[in-house]
Amino acid sequence: MIAEALEKQLRLALPNEKEVDNAVQRLQLGAEYVQDAMTAFINDSILLGVDVGNQEINVFYGEEKALDDIDLGGVAGDAIGWVTERVQTLMQELNQTSRETLTKMITQWKDNNLPFSELIATLEKAGWGFDPRRAKMIAVTEATRAFNKGKLMMAAASTLTVHKRWITRGDERVCPICAKLGTMRFRVGEGISLGADFEHPGGTGAAAQFAGELFMQPPAHPNCGCKIRLVALGLAVPFTGTGPYN
């Protein structure tokens, strides 16, 4: 969805060689498509997080007790409000990156006196341009952010005392930042309080440089696929394996 939107934005900005000098300004013509794509999948991700958070709380105390004081409609409304603000911030960041990338590539294209087709090909394969790799990075990172935000919002709406833990993918893709966050030790049914940050414990090798850094929730970096696990005093819910990226 994002890949298609970025491609459409590029085609609208650069329909032909005559529009090269206006391309940066013309990026705005496709911004709506990118924003709509962002809003749709981030909405889906945060509402999935709300739903999974609800399921995990139900496992703790049983459905009727857990839901007695939770306004599910209110949580969903707050989640959508968060999405609106997040998309606005994200679009500002993406538009800035797109403008910088396009300006740089056009300058290089002019300096080398290359055919127009080469400019388009370069933009489509540039690591931070209008290519599928950039789209995938945005999707993974923002889905992780929204999914975990939804779980935390659901937990905060409950009257239960709920803590959180950092859960990694548990495979070879786990980075030095998240590996240590995911191996923090707690007593049964305990973790970090919902409103507190995870403080990176540092470690040896590459992990040492992150000692003391604070993270409220995943993602800790681009392409992060970690999740929050909810825990309650004296109880622990098994990881459901449910989420946008497993």
Side-chain angles (χ1 to χ4, degrees), residues 75 88 163:
V75 175
Q88 289 176 350
H163 288 181

Side-chain angles (χ1 to χ4, degrees), residues 174-188:
V174 178
C175 69
I177 303 177
C178 298
K180 290 296 183 179
L181 291 169
T183 55
M184 296 175 69
R185 299 295 182 183
F186 302 98
R187 294 179 180 179
V188 173

Side-chain angles (χ1 to χ4, degrees), residues 52-130:
V52 173
N54 180 27
Q55 293 175 33
E56 292 188 5
I57 291 173
N58 289 345
V59 172
F60 292 143
Y61 289 107
E63 184 170 351
E64 291 185 3
K65 184 174 181 180
L67 295 179
D68 279 347
D69 299 318
I70 298 178
D71 178 7
L72 291 177
V75 175
D78 290 344
I80 298 304
W82 179 89
V83 170
T84 300
E85 293 182 5
R86 178 58 192 162
V87 170
Q88 289 176 350
T89 300
L90 190 58
M91 285 301 298
Q92 291 176 358
E93 297 171 355
L94 292 176
N95 288 335
Q96 181 64 27
T97 301
S98 295
R99 287 192 294 267
E100 291 173 354
T101 298
L102 193 54
T103 299
K104 178 180 178 181
M105 295 303 177
I106 288 175
T107 299
Q108 292 181 357
W109 172 76
K110 288 182 176 180
D111 289 344
N112 293 306
N113 196 28
L114 296 172
F116 178 69
S117 59
E118 287 294 319
L119 173 60
I120 297 298
T122 300
L123 286 165
E124 288 178 339
K125 66 184 179 183
W128 296 93
F130 299 82

